[in-house]
Amino acid sequence: VVLLREPVGGYTVLVPAFGGAATQGEDLGDAIRMAQDLIQLLLEVLADDHKPAPPDVSTVSFDWGEASEAMVCRVSVGEAVVA
C-alpha cells in the first residue's frame, strides 16, 4: 500500500493491487487498519464472484497530490499478503 501524509492531517492510503482503491486514516496505525479492512473486503468480493486475487505488485507509481510524505509498505490480511 502507499500511505500519503496529508498536510491537513491524517493519511490517504492507496492500494495499487486493486487499481488504486483508496481509504483514509487519522494516524498511521488507523490508516494501516483501514487498508487491511479495505483489502479484506475487496478479496471477499472477488471470492464471492469466483475471481482470483490480483497479483502482487512489485512497482508502484502514484500522484503525491499535496501530501508531505509518502511510504510504501506491505500489509497482511488473513493468510494473504497484498502490496
Side-chain angles (χ1 to χ4, degrees), residues 1-2 15-20 54-61 72-74 81-83:
V1 297
V2 178
V15 185
F18 283 96
D56 197 7
V57 175
S58 60
T59 307
V60 297
S61 61
V72 177
C73 65
R74 291 183 179 272
V81 175
V82 181

Side-chain angles (χ1 to χ4, degrees), residues 53-79:
D56 197 7
V57 175
S58 60
T59 307
V60 297
S61 61
F62 56 91
D63 181 358
W64 280 74
E66 295 183 19
S68 59
E69 294 179 28
M71 289 184 281
V72 177
C73 65
R74 291 183 179 272
V75 296
S76 296
V77 178
E79 295 179 13

Side-chain angles (χ1 to χ4, degrees), residues 31-55:
I32 291 172
R33 283 187 297 279
M34 295 297 288
Q36 290 171 317
D37 289 348
L38 175 61
I39 293 165
Q40 186 65 45
L41 175 65
L42 294 169
L43 288 171
E44 289 171 8
V45 168
L46 288 174
D48 288 347
D49 291 341
H50 306 287
K51 295 182 179 177

Side-chain angles (χ1 to χ4, degrees), residues 19-36:
T23 188
Q24 295 180 311
E26 292 186 23
D27 57 40
L28 190 55
D30 185 45
I32 291 172
R33 283 187 297 279
M34 295 297 288
Q36 290 171 317

